[in-house]
Amino acid sequence: MNKISLQGIIFDKKSSFLRGPRLAPPLIRKAYHSTSANYFAENGHEILPTIWNDKGDFNIDDYFQIEHITTKNISDKTPLITLGGDHSITYPLLKAHRKKYGPIDILHIDAHSDLYDNFEGDRYSHACPFARIMEDQLTNRLVQIGIRTLSKHQQDQADKFGVEIIQMKDFDKNTLPVFKNPIYLSLDIDGLDPAFAPGVSHHEPGGLSTRDVLHIIQNINTSIIGADIVEYNPTRDRDDMTAMVCAKLLKEIAAKMLSKI
Ligand code: MN
Ligand code: MN
């Protein structure tokens, strides 16, 4: 067993509006283990606790530790799923994955492009990871889905870096992007509509349904070598409903990874 690695990154110091995502990893694990649901994903894979090569949750003091920890945790042959944490962690996560895997494409689901050159003076803010990723050429291709907050600056950044943005207003579940390289999936929970996932710092109405996100994951056409679930903020949740959404997405990502191994 032990087919998929799992790590939690306890870190939210790069959040711009509210803290809280540091509390997420143990609560996503708890929802995943809840006896209110079974371990089956929709493709028939049973995502039992024994499939995890569980590295544990890591308390991060220094942002620059994340790459080091992740490099160690992907040294096995199994793909890694990371539970965040705010979205700033995706830049160091990608540094580690790119070194190991070479050419990869990124599928990024989010209400926000996170392409700011800097946010309130911080180039490592959770509003900036994809600017850093593109500058460092850590991906062959970046496709963003669910975006509904595109500013002029971020549109300029997207044009400069060649980022493909499927804005929420144009989203059509029947025409999903087709990838050539293995995928890194970065899943910001605020990409979902706050009606489905209220436990996020930035409520941005008009987003994806849980079913839309499941459909996107289930229809990825290449293998997934790594993924993150970020920006779940338990302090904003209602009856743990967002924790349960995160746990469901965790199972579905794992099931998709297993179907391609
Ligand atoms: Mn984000
Ligand atoms: Mn976001």
Side-chain angles (χ1 to χ4, degrees), residues 109-111 145-146 148 168 188-193 207-209 213:
I109 297 174
D110 202 326
I145 298 182
R148 49 195 188 275
M168 193 63 226
D188 182 328
I189 292 298
D190 71 29
L192 280 83
D193 192 278
L208 295 159
S209 68
V213 178

Side-chain angles (χ1 to χ4, degrees), residues 105-148:
D105 297 338
I106 299 175
L107 175 57
H108 167 205
I109 297 174
D110 202 326
H112 314 94
S113 260
D114 296 346
L115 282 168
Y116 281 92
D117 176 62
N118 73 82
F119 197 79
E120 296 171 343
D122 187 356
R123 288 170 57 79
Y124 301 106
S125 161
H126 75 156
C128 307
F130 292 93
R132 301 292 84 77
I133 285 165
M134 297 311 283
E135 284 166 358
D136 287 3
Q137 302 182 323
L138 301 180
T139 184
N140 288 45
R141 185 178 173 201
L142 172 57
V143 180
Q144 302 183 323
I145 298 182
I147 310 304
R148 49 195 188 275

